[in-house]
């Protein structure tokens, strides 16, 4: 039996190594794709598309919070063929405090199946989650200077058991997207002020 344990451990280690290499390869591809972009919405859209294709999900959206932490705006998102758009404004607490409170605390929020989760009432499911065609989701917050300012969301129309690696990857993509968006905005503001003088 000692031999079986060693083989199982070796297989696990090998799988973790492969996942790590795949993740690093993806993050390199993401950095290369974002570097030349100067438009914040194009950055959000490109990061969402690459993450969506990599994870094979139905939708990836990057949303920014208005001051006050209640209204989130999704300028544009990536969707798989046949998946509806969620571009627009949302009151985030309509999706349930169980889902939004961790985000405000700077932690990812993960749900594997909204339709069977005891924290989601039938009316809440129908008015929010169901209306945007989501059964499983990951949301990773971006907290800057102590304020919850944005989040990246991954949506799936079917139930899905998310792995810790997938959650970590969504978090990393969110951070890189935020940095690229802020860089683009700073460059645009600098160019505008140079034009004025």
């Amino acid at each position: 039996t000692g031999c079986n344990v060693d083989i199982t451990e070796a297989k696990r280690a090998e799988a973790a190594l492969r996942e790590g290499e795949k993740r690093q390869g993806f993050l390199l591809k993401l950095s290369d794709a974002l570097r030349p972009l100067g438009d914040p919405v194009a950055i959000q859209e490109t990061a969402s598309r690459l993450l969506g294709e990599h994870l094979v999900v139905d939708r990836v959206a990057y949303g920014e919070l208005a001051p006050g932490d209640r209204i989130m705006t999704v300028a544009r998102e990536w969707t798989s063929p046949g998946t509806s758009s969620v571009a627009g404004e949302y009151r985030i607490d309509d999706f349930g405090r169980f889902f939004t409170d961790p985000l405000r605390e700077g932690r990812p929020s993960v749900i594997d199946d909204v339709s069977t989760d005891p924290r989601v009432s039938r009316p809440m499911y129908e008015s929010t989650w169901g209306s945007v065609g989501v059964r499983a989701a990951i949301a990773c917050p971006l907290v800057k200077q102590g304020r919850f300012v944005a989040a990246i969301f991954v949506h799936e129309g079917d139930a899905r058991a998310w792995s810790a690696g997938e959650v970590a990857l969504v978090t990393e993509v969110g951070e890189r997207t935020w940095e690229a968006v802020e860089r683009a905005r700073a460059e645009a503001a600098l160019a505008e002020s140079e034009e004025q003088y």
Side-chain angles (χ1 to χ4, degrees):
T1 59
C3 186
N4 285 350
V5 171
D6 289 348
I7 290 168
T8 304
E9 283 304 312
K11 280 186 177 171
R12 252 192 226 119
E14 194 179 306
L17 184 66
R18 262 199 317 275
E19 190 179 337
E21 285 170 354
K22 201 170 157 187
R23 184 175 157 183
Q24 285 310 314
F26 171 75
L27 291 171
L28 190 63
K29 179 180 169 182
L30 177 71
S31 294
D32 289 346
L34 298 186
R35 197 173 299 114
L37 300 176
D39 172 39
V41 174
I43 289 166
Q44 294 169 20
E45 196 173 37
T46 300
S48 296
R49 177 180 56 80
L50 290 173
L51 182 60
E53 289 170 351
H54 181 75
L55 291 178
V56 193
V57 292
D58 288 326
R59 182 188 295 118
V60 179
Y62 180 90
E64 296 190 69
L65 267 137
D69 292 357
R70 296 277 173 259
I71 305 294
M72 179 164 282
T73 302
V74 176
R76 214 173 294 149
E77 85 281 63
W78 174 88
T79 59
S80 64
T83 301
S84 63
S85 172
V86 293
E89 288 191 346
Y90 296 88
R91 283 205 347 244
I92 62 169
D93 287 333
D94 288 352
F95 290 86
R97 294 289 300 265
F98 76 91
F99 196 74
T100 57
D101 282 351
L103 301 176
R104 288 194 175 94
E105 293 159 12
R107 296 180 291 118
S109 209
V110 180
I111 192 160
D112 294 342
D113 189 352
V114 179
S115 68
T116 61
D117 194 299
R119 300 170 297 178
V120 182
S121 68
R122 196 86 222 142
M124 182 197 290
Y125 176 73
E126 286 166 6
S127 68
T128 55
W129 295 95
S131 70
V132 293
V134 177
R135 265 187 72 189
I138 299 172
C140 295
L142 291 137
V143 177
K144 303 297 167 189
Q145 284 139 10
R147 192 172 90 74
F148 172 32
V149 292
I152 189 163
F153 298 88
V154 172
H155 292 163
E156 186 59 66
D158 293 317
R160 177 163 170 165
W162 304 103
S163 72
E166 288 170 329
V167 176
L169 182 64
V170 174
T171 301
E172 180 75 28
V173 171
E175 287 293 340
R176 290 183 184 216
T177 304
W178 167 264
E179 287 163 14
V181 164
E182 288 302 291
R183 173 187 43 94
R185 285 180 178 152
E187 285 170 3
L190 182 64
E192 197 179 309
S193 71
E194 282 172 353
E195 264 178 42
Q196 285 173 352
Y197 295 106

